[in-house]
Amino acid sequence: MTSLDTSALSRNATPGSEWWRSAVIYQIYPRSFADANGDGIGDLRGMTARLDSLATLGVDALWLSPFMVSPQKDAGYDVTDYCDVDPIFGTLADFDELLAAAHARGIRLIVDLVPNHSSDQHVWFQAALAAGPGSPERARYMFRDGKGQHGEQAPNNWESVFGGPAWTRITEADGTLGQWYLHIFDSSQPDFDWSNPEVQEEFRRILRFWLDRGVDGFRVDVAHGLVKADGLPDYFPRAAGDSMGGDTDDVPYWGQEGVHEIYRDWHKVLAEYDGDRALCGEAWLPTVEEMAKWVRPGEMQQTFNFGYLMSDWKPDTQRRIIAESIAAFSAVGAPSTWVLSNHDVVRHASRLALTAENPQGHGIGPDSPGKPIPELGLRRARAATALMLALPGSAYLYQGEELGLPEVIELPDDARQDPTWFRTHGERYGRDGCRVPIPWEADAPAYGFNTTGAAWLPQPPEWAELARDVQTTDAASTLAMYIEALRLRHAHDLGLGSVEWLDGYKRKVVAFRNGDVTVLTNFGKKPLELPEGARVVLSSEPLTGSAVPQDVTVWLTAAN
Ligand code: NOJ
């Protein structure tokens, strides 16, 4: 094991320190991170083998997307056994080893929990199909009779997030067409009925199972979707928009008041355990004020700030969302989180240079309008990351962004696996372009993802020059910038700091101070002269003179 400077991490590891207030949390998408057994799909042993590179990067915690038993219809977000590891990812023993190895390096680990729906292969759903209408087995899910004379119409007009209707009609055990079940996502992901105490108790058991193993918390999938409006009323969106809920309000399956009771209950379960366990909600809500409801005292510790993620790369927008986020979250005593990329959105090294509308989940492919210029996307991504990592609160990174990976646009149709692609008959490309296995070594099979060269999604040839080993020896690389930004963020305690806006700069410059660090992002064409006597400690691009060019972020301290 490489010897590591964990002094910064040990602060976060102090019991009672509320580590999640300032932590930098790195998302591992298990199937695409590192593949120890060479089958083309990443696994837990692959992660353990690559942990030192994450310690070198300087992250405080890991979030693992689902690795539980699943038929993989939605890449693991369709679970059949919440308390075991899918064989494609390894075993529970492999998980324990990973957790211990992460903790030994001062890195915490949170796991993904999927409580809105299970897989249709889950024993409960199979039992529900067999048991028939009105049974306690059906009462664990959202079964309803159809409308129309013969029940031939869906119970309401809701649409699946992945396209098509949110209801599927089943064939009853006697061979007749029967009831319908609700699936806000794919038809292989039936929604649980969270008003059922049996469902509530089962998830307390699942939480305790992972807490007993020592996890530091949970990322809660679709945290805003568990409770549906009484009577399941039809929903008529005011405008086509973000199907996860970020663009619209009053959606009868997002953000219902009753959902908060579930997290108040879970908060108490986590509080039974020592060591500051945390919940982070995945709740796409239209405003930061709505998001802040998830992190009121006695509820979750964190929630993803998707308002920030979806913000345009414009100075007024950036200033506004940062100010609004800090105000809204501070009002409930919580830190803001910051995130630019994850496994559901176009990678920010591409997204920030798109020139056409691209709603979340649609993805980009060969025929998409407004494709990004790669160099511009990367330049803006580096500037955006340097800006984000200077903000107080907790920041989420998505695997591969530290290499500046772009969205893979040219994936062949027959390689695509996202249910969105299938349910919209190719109308939406979906999310595969941000899920391609990441490159570790330029000259190795599958760029070091494994030793066999297999990869569940093809890696583009131009990724050789983005491989981690190439970037490790280049002081100007994206990786080098991330490592330095994280080192400075810890050294200057920026995660626990504050934002003090600075006057005296043009509107095209976002300028603030966090502690002893001044942060400037120049959005304007005109180069920004550095203030007299300032020392540049970080720059998102190498600087050639005394000016900050367009789409560059610098961190400054006073000279000496
Ligand atoms: C949100 C997850 O991030 C996404 O990947 C998944 O498809 C849906 N929830 C359904 O679980």
Side-chain angles (χ1 to χ4, degrees):
M1 187 170 126
T2 327
S3 83
L4 303 164
D5 175 9
T6 53
S7 49
L9 300 177
S10 56
R11 185 202 66 231
N12 286 332
T14 310
S17 68
E18 301 191 329
W19 60 276
W20 36 266
R21 286 189 174 274
S22 59
V24 174
I25 305 178
Y26 182 96
Q27 179 188 359
I28 293 186
Y29 194 64
R31 50 177 47 232
S32 302
F33 184 70
D35 174 21
N37 71 1
D39 65 356
I41 301 177
D43 46 41
L44 294 168
R45 285 181 38 235
M47 293 174 209
T48 307
R50 293 288 190 183
L51 263 188
D52 280 339
S53 63
L54 299 181
T56 304
L57 178 59
V59 299
D60 303 305
L62 308 177
W63 149 33
L64 265 52
S65 279
F67 52 86
M68 295 80 184
V69 184
S70 159
Q72 305 291 322
K73 292 278 174 52
D74 183 22
Y77 284 95
D78 49 321
V79 179
T80 48
D81 185 347
Y82 287 84
C83 297
D84 205 352
V85 172
D86 194 285
I88 63 170
F89 297 124
T91 62
L92 272 175
D94 294 337
F95 176 79
D96 292 341
E97 203 177 306
L98 169 66
L99 183 61
H103 282 171
R105 289 161 175 78
I107 297 176
R108 297 185 180 253
L109 193 153
I110 67 174
V111 297
D112 217 312
L113 186 67
V114 188
N116 180 68
H117 46 265
S118 71
S119 159
D120 62 349
Q121 303 304 308
H122 192 288
V123 284
W124 273 14
F125 192 73
Q126 289 300 314
L129 291 179
S135 61
E137 287 84 354
R138 287 232 170 144
R140 293 162 175 157
Y141 293 92
M142 306 286 289
F143 281 91
R144 294 290 183 277
D145 293 332
K147 289 205 243 174
Q149 212 185 343
H150 306 288
E152 68 280 11
Q153 291 163 25
N156 70 20
N157 74 344
W158 295 359
E159 293 207 354
S160 153
V161 168
F162 295 154
W167 294 91
T168 291
R169 193 173 191 188
I170 63 160
T171 302
E172 300 290 355
D174 64 5
T176 58
L177 280 174
Q179 287 195 298
W180 299 70
Y181 67 90
L182 177 68
H183 51 87
I184 295 293
F185 294 89
D186 188 48
S187 56
S188 63
Q189 295 166 299
D191 282 48
F192 285 115
D193 185 341
W194 268 89
S195 67
N196 185 334
E198 215 188 331
V199 172
Q200 298 165 13
E201 188 48 35
E202 176 64 358
F203 273 88
R204 281 182 211 113
R205 183 184 78 82
I206 294 164
L207 288 170
R208 290 196 178 101
F209 175 85
W210 292 105
L211 290 166
D212 286 339
R213 291 201 105 78
V215 303
D216 297 288
F218 302 89
R219 177 266 189 189
V220 182
D221 190 61
V222 202
H224 58 325
L226 277 52
V227 171
K228 279 74 181 178
D230 281 346
L232 310 181
D234 280 348
Y235 167 53
F236 300 96
R238 266 173 282 166
D242 166 15
S243 52
M244 284 293 282
D247 274 358
T248 43
D249 51 12
D250 302 332
V251 185
Y253 43 87
W254 297 144
Q256 299 297 304
E257 242 350 271
V259 82
H260 295 282
E261 199 43 54
I262 299 169
Y263 305 124
R264 285 192 273 269
D265 181 44
W266 289 13
H267 185 100
K268 290 187 207 132
V269 174
L270 265 66
E272 292 165 12
Y273 290 79
D274 61 3
D276 255 340
R277 319 289 176 116
L279 295 168
C280 178
E282 189 228 12
W284 292 77
L285 293 155
T287 61
V288 279
E289 286 74 20
E290 275 295 310
M291 290 177 210
K293 288 188 183 167
W294 259 253
V295 286
R296 292 175 294 197
E299 296 196 28
M300 294 192 169
Q301 281 70 16
Q302 293 188 332
T303 193
F304 286 105
N305 188 342
F306 291 122
Y308 177 74
L309 184 151
M310 299 311 273
S311 300
D312 294 337
W313 184 242
K314 291 186 182 144
D316 292 340
T317 318
Q318 294 291 316
R319 263 189 298 265
R320 181 184 52 74
I321 189 70
I322 291 168
E324 281 179 10
S325 303
I326 292 174
F329 288 110
S330 304
V332 293
S336 183
T337 61
W338 311 102
V339 58
L340 289 165
S341 280
N342 66 32
H343 65 295
D344 290 330
V345 299
V346 172
R347 281 185 177 277
H348 70 287
S350 299
R351 192 180 69 242
L352 295 178
L354 282 171
T355 57
E357 279 295 300
N358 186 269
Q360 184 276 327
H362 287 219
I364 42 176
D367 295 329
S368 297
K371 279 190 240 157
I373 300 168
E375 296 73 26
L376 180 65
L378 180 57
R379 184 180 177 87
R380 287 184 176 171
R382 289 171 59 137
T385 299
L387 174 56
M388 174 178 86
L389 290 176
L391 293 170
S394 174
Y396 276 81
L397 306 179
Y398 175 50
Q399 65 179 37
E401 67 167 85
E402 74 278 22
L403 306 176
L405 295 187
E407 187 81 356
V408 180
I409 298 175
E410 302 296 332
L411 279 178
D413 288 357
D414 60 4
R416 293 191 183 273
Q417 302 203 14
D418 186 347
T420 309
W421 166 256
F422 298 107
R423 290 184 65 88
T424 62
H425 309 287
E427 195 186 304
R428 298 185 207 160
Y429 286 105
R431 303 159 295 172
D432 291 315
C434 64
R435 298 175 173 183
V436 174
I438 63 173
W440 295 89
E441 285 117 27
D443 296 323
Y447 303 125
F449 172 58
N450 54 27
T451 54
T452 61
W456 71 279
L457 283 174
Q459 300 161 297
E462 60 275 15
W463 277 19
E465 61 201 47
L466 293 174
R468 181 175 290 257
D469 66 340
V470 175
Q471 299 204 31
T472 305
T473 54
D474 175 3
S477 69
T478 306
L479 178 63
M481 187 203 83
Y482 269 73
I483 291 174
E484 188 58 3
L486 291 180
R487 190 188 70 74
L488 289 164
R489 180 182 160 89
H490 282 300
H492 292 266
D493 242 345
L494 301 183
L496 294 172
S498 59
V499 165
E500 186 195 329
W501 298 108
L502 297 176
D503 297 331
Y505 289 90
K506 293 211 155 62
R507 258 188 68 196
K508 293 261 168 85
V509 176
V510 168
F512 64 89
R513 201 180 350 248
N514 182 353
D516 59 350
V517 177
T518 294
V519 181
L520 304 174
T521 303
N522 185 12
F523 289 80
K525 283 204 179 69
K526 197 159 171 251
L528 162 72
E529 278 303 314
L530 285 167
E532 195 105 338
R535 190 162 74 99
V536 178
V537 290
L538 186 84
S539 175
S540 63
E541 298 289 332
L543 297 183
T544 45
S546 64
V548 183
Q550 187 171 28
D551 292 325
V552 171
T553 297
V554 290
W555 295 8
L556 312 174
T557 57
N560 64 57

